[in-house]
Amino acid sequence: VLQDMFKGECHFINGTEKVRFVERNFYNRLQYAMFDSDVGHYVGFTPYGEKVARYWNSLEERLEYARAVVDTYCRHNYEVDAP
């Protein structure tokens, strides 16, 4: 069975003062690429992941969307996600 999945995480530091969004991409339980809002672009961890990250970084709309998730999703849903 082959499995391709991604996981999006919101990290809250000091309430909504410092918010970080991380998107992790996996294939068969191996992380091949990641987006970190603190870095601002995708990073590859395998040869395939490096190619994918390079391609995703060339798509300005995708990067713009991923960077905006901090405000549109994480901060917006702080009350739901916060303990």
Side-chain angles (χ1 to χ4, degrees), residues 13-37:
I13 299 133
N14 197 15
T16 59
E17 204 169 297
K18 175 74 173 135
V19 180
R20 180 176 168 216
F21 172 70
V22 177
E23 174 191 317
R24 299 168 17 160
N25 301 273
F26 300 90
Y27 183 75
N28 284 350
R29 295 189 215 155
L30 176 66
Q31 182 174 331
Y32 65 88
M34 180 178 96
F35 175 85
D36 185 337
S37 63

Short mmCIF file of all heavy atoms in Angstrom, two decimals, residues 13-37:
data_model
loop_
_atom_site.label_atom_id
_atom_site.label_comp_id
_atom_site.label_asym_id
_atom_site.label_seq_id
_atom_site.Cartn_x
_atom_site.Cartn_y
_atom_site.Cartn_z
N ILE A 13 2.85 30.50 20.18
CA ILE A 13 3.79 30.88 21.22
C ILE A 13 3.29 32.20 21.81
O ILE A 13 3.13 33.18 21.08
CB ILE A 13 5.21 31.03 20.66
CG1 ILE A 13 5.66 29.69 20.08
CG2 ILE A 13 6.19 31.49 21.72
CD1 ILE A 13 6.27 29.76 18.75
N ASN A 14 3.00 32.20 23.11
CA ASN A 14 2.50 33.39 23.78
C ASN A 14 1.18 33.86 23.16
O ASN A 14 1.05 35.00 22.73
CB ASN A 14 3.56 34.51 23.76
CG ASN A 14 3.26 35.58 24.77
OD1 ASN A 14 2.46 35.38 25.68
ND2 ASN A 14 3.91 36.72 24.63
N GLY A 15 0.22 32.95 23.13
CA GLY A 15 -1.09 33.28 22.54
C GLY A 15 -0.97 33.43 21.04
O GLY A 15 -0.36 32.60 20.38
N THR A 16 -1.55 34.49 20.50
CA THR A 16 -1.46 34.72 19.05
C THR A 16 -0.36 35.71 18.72
O THR A 16 -0.28 36.18 17.59
CB THR A 16 -2.80 35.22 18.49
OG1 THR A 16 -3.15 36.43 19.16
CG2 THR A 16 -3.88 34.19 18.64
N GLU A 17 0.50 36.02 19.69
CA GLU A 17 1.57 36.97 19.44
C GLU A 17 2.57 36.41 18.43
O GLU A 17 3.01 37.09 17.52
CB GLU A 17 2.28 37.30 20.76
CG GLU A 17 2.99 38.62 20.74
CD GLU A 17 3.43 39.00 22.13
OE1 GLU A 17 2.57 39.19 23.00
OE2 GLU A 17 4.66 39.09 22.32
N LYS A 18 2.96 35.16 18.61
CA LYS A 18 3.88 34.49 17.70
C LYS A 18 3.23 33.20 17.24
O LYS A 18 3.01 32.29 18.03
CB LYS A 18 5.20 34.21 18.42
CG LYS A 18 6.19 33.42 17.62
CD LYS A 18 6.83 34.28 16.55
CE LYS A 18 7.94 33.48 15.87
NZ LYS A 18 7.93 33.56 14.46
N VAL A 19 2.88 33.14 15.96
CA VAL A 19 2.21 31.96 15.41
C VAL A 19 3.06 31.43 14.26
O VAL A 19 3.57 32.19 13.45
CB VAL A 19 0.79 32.31 14.91
CG1 VAL A 19 0.11 31.08 14.33
CG2 VAL A 19 -0.04 32.91 16.01
N ARG A 20 3.17 30.11 14.22
CA ARG A 20 3.98 29.45 13.19
C ARG A 20 3.13 28.36 12.55
O ARG A 20 2.48 27.59 13.24
CB ARG A 20 5.21 28.86 13.86
CG ARG A 20 6.14 28.15 12.96
CD ARG A 20 7.35 27.71 13.78
NE ARG A 20 8.14 26.77 13.01
CZ ARG A 20 8.78 25.75 13.52
NH1 ARG A 20 8.73 25.53 14.82
NH2 ARG A 20 9.46 24.95 12.77
N PHE A 21 3.17 28.29 11.21
CA PHE A 21 2.47 27.24 10.47
C PHE A 21 3.51 26.32 9.84
O PHE A 21 4.47 26.79 9.22
CB PHE A 21 1.57 27.82 9.39
CG PHE A 21 0.98 26.79 8.48
CD1 PHE A 21 0.01 25.92 8.93
CD2 PHE A 21 1.41 26.68 7.16
CE1 PHE A 21 -0.53 24.94 8.10
CE2 PHE A 21 0.88 25.71 6.33
CZ PHE A 21 -0.09 24.85 6.79
N VAL A 22 3.31 25.01 10.00
CA VAL A 22 4.21 24.02 9.42
C VAL A 22 3.37 23.01 8.64
O VAL A 22 2.41 22.46 9.17
CB VAL A 22 5.02 23.28 10.51
CG1 VAL A 22 5.90 22.21 9.90
CG2 VAL A 22 5.85 24.26 11.32
N GLU A 23 3.72 22.81 7.38
CA GLU A 23 3.08 21.78 6.54
C GLU A 23 4.13 20.73 6.23
O GLU A 23 5.18 21.04 5.68
CB GLU A 23 2.57 22.39 5.24
CG GLU A 23 2.03 21.38 4.26
CD GLU A 23 1.77 21.96 2.89
OE1 GLU A 23 1.24 23.08 2.80
OE2 GLU A 23 2.12 21.30 1.91
N ARG A 24 3.86 19.49 6.62
CA ARG A 24 4.80 18.40 6.40
C ARG A 24 4.20 17.42 5.40
O ARG A 24 3.05 17.04 5.53
CB ARG A 24 5.12 17.71 7.72
CG ARG A 24 5.76 18.67 8.69
CD ARG A 24 5.85 18.18 10.11
NE ARG A 24 5.69 16.75 10.26
CZ ARG A 24 6.09 16.07 11.32
NH1 ARG A 24 6.67 16.67 12.30
NH2 ARG A 24 5.88 14.78 11.40
N ASN A 25 4.99 17.01 4.41
CA ASN A 25 4.54 16.12 3.34
C ASN A 25 5.27 14.79 3.43
O ASN A 25 6.50 14.76 3.52
CB ASN A 25 4.79 16.78 1.99
CG ASN A 25 4.07 18.10 1.88
OD1 ASN A 25 2.92 18.13 1.49
ND2 ASN A 25 4.73 19.18 2.25
N PHE A 26 4.48 13.70 3.38
CA PHE A 26 5.02 12.35 3.56
C PHE A 26 4.64 11.45 2.39
O PHE A 26 3.58 11.60 1.80
CB PHE A 26 4.44 11.70 4.82
CG PHE A 26 4.73 12.45 6.09
CD1 PHE A 26 3.86 13.42 6.53
CD2 PHE A 26 5.87 12.18 6.82
CE1 PHE A 26 4.11 14.11 7.71
CE2 PHE A 26 6.13 12.86 8.00
CZ PHE A 26 5.25 13.83 8.44
N TYR A 27 5.51 10.49 2.11
CA TYR A 27 5.20 9.41 1.19
C TYR A 27 5.70 8.13 1.85
O TYR A 27 6.90 8.01 2.15
CB TYR A 27 5.88 9.62 -0.16
CG TYR A 27 5.53 8.55 -1.16
CD1 TYR A 27 4.29 8.55 -1.77
CD2 TYR A 27 6.42 7.53 -1.46
CE1 TYR A 27 3.94 7.56 -2.68
CE2 TYR A 27 6.08 6.55 -2.37
CZ TYR A 27 4.84 6.57 -2.97
OH TYR A 27 4.50 5.59 -3.86
N ASN A 28 4.79 7.20 2.11
CA ASN A 28 5.12 5.95 2.82
C ASN A 28 5.87 6.22 4.14
O ASN A 28 6.92 5.64 4.40
CB ASN A 28 5.93 5.01 1.93
CG ASN A 28 5.07 4.34 0.90
OD1 ASN A 28 3.85 4.43 0.93
ND2 ASN A 28 5.70 3.68 -0.05
N ARG A 29 5.34 7.12 4.93
CA ARG A 29 5.86 7.48 6.26
C ARG A 29 7.20 8.19 6.25
O ARG A 29 7.80 8.40 7.28
CB ARG A 29 5.94 6.25 7.16
CG ARG A 29 4.62 5.65 7.47
CD ARG A 29 4.79 4.59 8.54
NE ARG A 29 3.85 3.51 8.27
CZ ARG A 29 4.02 2.28 8.67
NH1 ARG A 29 5.07 1.95 9.36
NH2 ARG A 29 3.13 1.37 8.40
N LEU A 30 7.71 8.56 5.09
CA LEU A 30 8.98 9.27 4.98
C LEU A 30 8.68 10.73 4.61
O LEU A 30 8.05 10.99 3.57
CB LEU A 30 9.86 8.63 3.91
CG LEU A 30 11.18 9.33 3.62
CD1 LEU A 30 12.10 9.27 4.84
CD2 LEU A 30 11.86 8.70 2.42
N GLN A 31 9.13 11.66 5.44
CA GLN A 31 8.91 13.07 5.15
C GLN A 31 9.84 13.49 4.02
O GLN A 31 11.04 13.34 4.11
CB GLN A 31 9.19 13.93 6.38
CG GLN A 31 8.92 15.40 6.14
CD GLN A 31 9.05 16.23 7.40
OE1 GLN A 31 8.82 15.75 8.49
NE2 GLN A 31 9.39 17.47 7.24
N TYR A 32 9.25 14.00 2.93
CA TYR A 32 10.06 14.39 1.78
C TYR A 32 10.13 15.89 1.58
O TYR A 32 11.07 16.39 0.96
CB TYR A 32 9.60 13.68 0.50
CG TYR A 32 8.22 14.04 0.02
CD1 TYR A 32 8.01 15.11 -0.82
CD2 TYR A 32 7.12 13.27 0.39
CE1 TYR A 32 6.74 15.43 -1.28
CE2 TYR A 32 5.85 13.58 -0.05
CZ TYR A 32 5.67 14.67 -0.90
OH TYR A 32 4.40 14.98 -1.34
N ALA A 33 9.16 16.64 2.12
CA ALA A 33 9.18 18.10 1.96
C ALA A 33 8.43 18.74 3.11
O ALA A 33 7.59 18.11 3.76
CB ALA A 33 8.57 18.51 0.63
N MET A 34 8.74 20.03 3.34
CA MET A 34 8.12 20.75 4.45
C MET A 34 8.07 22.24 4.13
O MET A 34 8.98 22.78 3.50
CB MET A 34 8.94 20.54 5.72
CG MET A 34 8.40 21.24 6.94
SD MET A 34 9.40 20.89 8.39
CE MET A 34 10.46 22.30 8.39
N PHE A 35 6.97 22.88 4.55
CA PHE A 35 6.87 24.34 4.51
C PHE A 35 6.82 24.82 5.94
O PHE A 35 6.07 24.30 6.76
CB PHE A 35 5.60 24.80 3.78
CG PHE A 35 5.42 26.28 3.81
CD1 PHE A 35 6.04 27.09 2.88
CD2 PHE A 35 4.65 26.88 4.79
CE1 PHE A 35 5.89 28.46 2.93
CE2 PHE A 35 4.49 28.24 4.85
CZ PHE A 35 5.11 29.05 3.91
N ASP A 36 7.61 25.82 6.26
CA ASP A 36 7.62 26.44 7.58
C ASP A 36 7.41 27.93 7.36
O ASP A 36 8.16 28.57 6.62
CB ASP A 36 8.96 26.17 8.27
CG ASP A 36 9.01 26.67 9.69
OD1 ASP A 36 8.23 27.57 10.05
OD2 ASP A 36 9.85 26.16 10.46
N SER A 37 6.39 28.51 7.99
CA SER A 37 6.09 29.92 7.77
C SER A 37 7.23 30.82 8.25
O SER A 37 7.39 31.94 7.75
CB SER A 37 4.78 30.32 8.45
OG SER A 37 4.88 30.15 9.86
#
